[in-house]
Amino acid sequence: MGGTYSAGDGTKCSDFGDDSTLDFYKELAAHYITEYKIDGWRLDQAYQVPVSDWKKIREAVEVAAAATTYQDQNGESVHPLGYMVGEVWGGENDIKTYGYGSDTTQGLKSNFDFNTRYGIVQALAVEESGASNHSGVTIQNKLKSAENTYPDFAIPNYFLTNHDVVRFGDLIQRAKKLKAISSEDYFKRYKVAHAAVTAMSGPVTLYYGDEWGQEVPGFDVKVENRCDLKDMCDDHVSRSTGEISGFNSDQENLKNFVTGMMNLRANVKAISMGSLTDIGTDENLFAVKKTYGDSEVLVVLNVQEDVKVEAEFDASIFNDAEAQTSVAVFSSEDSRGAPVIVYPEGTSYKVTLEPLSAVLIYVPQQN
């Protein structure tokens, strides 16, 4: 049923060869669902538990959630989500092996998608190692790689920053210092990165501070083998103090944009749940159409700092007849953080994508 997992000093932590170990964790995981009505569990270092045991713990949580109800803030009777997401910090093969398992032994159904996160930061800044590839294809290739590797039941959880990696703001500054980018364009890059994450289907995780562009002062260079320096190193520097007020105009503008993206996710189902079709991804653009039932949206990101793209889409790209008369465009360039109505020129829509910008195009009456 599994092996023995130990701390670094050799102390035994859990013996999954002992049935009582699994019974304990099943009971514990279900207890917090039934007694405290939590919605689920984030599972740090999930590779330390055999994937077959994750299946059994997950099923215990799902059963507990289905049997538990409580009144939400609107007075409606609801169930806890029973959601479990694993952290397997590695490539897609490791995430599959130690997180998802296989079709015959389904472990966790959701795991953090480090693979796509590294693609997004490489396309817009640099990753922690300094590697970069500023192209829309970089993001597309990471998504394709995961799709070709993960089992069909996989529900990846997308993110930009977590408590172990470096904040995206510091990676922007690091990219400038490494001369990987010419212009910092700090808040533009942050907006496009947020658009990339929040336009993905499935659950997303927004790390505190990223909504207003937080960075760690003085951490724009990689700290190697000197974790005593200001008590920081690359694997935990993002655990900084949170802030909820006192933002400047750029920070407020970014926060408004993130709020707008989240509102769109809630109201345009194709964003949060749609299947994805490429419509023109290239060196400059990450461009896809997402479809969920009658809901449709075009997501287009310009990842270049010095290229303006005049994009044109025939209205027939939408199945909805309403798209022949008007669409809503939500743009990172609009400081109001709200969509605007755009009308076709003939039978097509023309949209200007400024350097480092994002647009979402959809039929406005969708809900």
Side-chain angles (χ1 to χ4, degrees), residues 315 320-328 341-346 349 363-365:
D320 193 328
E322 294 294 328
Q324 308 303 316
T325 58
S326 66
V327 293
I341 302 301
V342 173
Y343 301 95
E345 299 181 27
Y349 291 99
V363 179
Q365 58 266 45

Side-chain angles (χ1 to χ4, degrees), residues 158-161 194 198 204-211 258 262:
Y158 299 99
F159 68 100
L160 184 60
T161 304
H194 276 304
T198 56
V204 299
T205 296
L206 179 61
Y207 189 66
Y208 74 94
D210 270 358
E211 75 279 4
V258 173
M262 289 300 186

Side-chain angles (χ1 to χ4, degrees), residues 64-352:
T68 302
T69 59
Y70 65 94
Q71 301 297 311
D72 69 7
Q73 61 184 2
N74 298 319
E76 297 180 4
S77 181
V78 297
H79 297 281
L81 292 177
Y83 175 64
M84 300 183 76
V85 56
E87 183 217 44
V88 179
W89 191 354
E92 62 266 37
N93 287 311
D94 285 341
I95 295 171
K96 174 187 176 182
T97 300
Y98 301 109
Y100 290 119
S102 64
D103 289 325
T104 55
T105 304
Q106 297 185 6
L108 297 167
K109 291 186 176 180
S110 189
N111 290 275
F112 289 110
D113 198 339
F114 283 87
N115 199 49
T116 300
R117 181 264 177 185
Y118 283 111
I120 292 170
V121 299
Q122 283 183 21
L124 290 163
V126 295
E127 64 168 85
E128 284 76 358
S129 69
S132 65
N133 187 353
H134 302 140
S135 167
V137 178
T138 302
I139 302 172
Q140 181 192 56
N141 286 345
K142 293 293 187 181
L143 288 170
K144 283 185 175 179
S145 180
E147 180 182 3
N148 292 334
T149 303
Y150 297 157
D152 290 341
F153 64 83
I155 307 173
N157 187 306
Y158 299 99
F159 68 100
L160 184 60
T161 304
N162 72 11
H163 63 282
D164 285 325
V165 299
V166 175
R167 284 190 179 273
F168 183 62
D170 294 304
L171 295 180
I172 295 173
Q173 295 169 344
R174 190 172 294 186
K176 182 67 163 58
K177 188 155 269 190
L178 292 172
K179 302 186 186 318
I181 58 177
S182 298
S183 178
E184 190 171 283
D185 293 311
Y186 188 89
F187 290 97
K188 288 186 176 183
R189 293 181 190 276
Y190 238 125
K191 280 186 175 182
V192 179
H194 276 304
V197 172
T198 56
M200 297 296 175
S201 292
V204 299
T205 296
L206 179 61
Y207 189 66
Y208 74 94
D210 270 358
E211 75 279 4
W212 58 268
Q214 189 169 8
E215 52 90 27
V216 180
F219 206 73
D220 53 358
V221 294
K222 182 178 176 64
V223 176
E224 296 187 73
N225 303 319
R226 293 177 61 197
C227 289
D228 59 328
L229 179 64
K230 298 182 181 179
D231 296 321
M232 298 185 297
C233 57
D234 260 11
D235 70 349
H236 67 244
V237 68
S238 65
R239 307 178 197 195
S240 48
T241 301
E243 296 181 28
I244 60 174
S245 62
F247 304 129
N248 63 35
S249 59
D250 287 329
Q251 293 165 344
E252 283 285 358
N253 182 265
L254 175 59
K255 190 159 69 74
N256 289 339
F257 175 75
V258 173
T259 299
M261 281 295 306
M262 289 300 186
N263 286 335
L264 281 184
R265 275 182 64 87
N267 293 298
V268 183
K269 298 301 183 185
I271 298 176
S272 60
M273 302 172 70
S275 60
L276 184 150
T277 304
D278 185 79
I279 59 170
T281 295
D282 58 20
E283 288 300 302
N284 300 323
L285 302 180
F286 173 74
V288 296
K289 177 184 178 182
K290 301 189 67 183
T291 306
Y292 182 81
D294 295 333
S295 178
E296 302 168 287
V297 63
L298 308 185
V299 179
V300 189
L301 316 177
N302 183 353
V303 303
Q304 298 301 333
E305 66 181 9
D306 55 1
V307 177
K308 179 190 289 189
V309 178
E310 301 290 344
E312 184 171 356
F313 303 98
D314 195 279
S316 63
I317 197 171
F318 291 99
N319 294 320
D320 193 328
E322 294 294 328
Q324 308 303 316
T325 58
S326 66
V327 293
V329 176
F330 182 78
S331 172
S332 61
E333 291 289 298
D334 191 334
S335 62
R336 294 174 297 175
V340 297
I341 302 301
V342 173
Y343 301 95
E345 299 181 27
T347 61
S348 64
Y349 291 99
K350 295 180 180 179
V351 180
T352 299

Side-chain angles (χ1 to χ4, degrees), residues 17-39:
D18 184 338
D19 287 347
S20 62
T21 297
L22 180 59
D23 291 340
F24 168 76
Y25 284 121
K26 287 167 61 178
E27 179 182 350
L28 177 69
H31 172 79
Y32 278 84
I33 301 290
T34 58
E35 294 300 315
Y36 299 103
K37 313 301 187 292
I38 70 168
D39 279 315

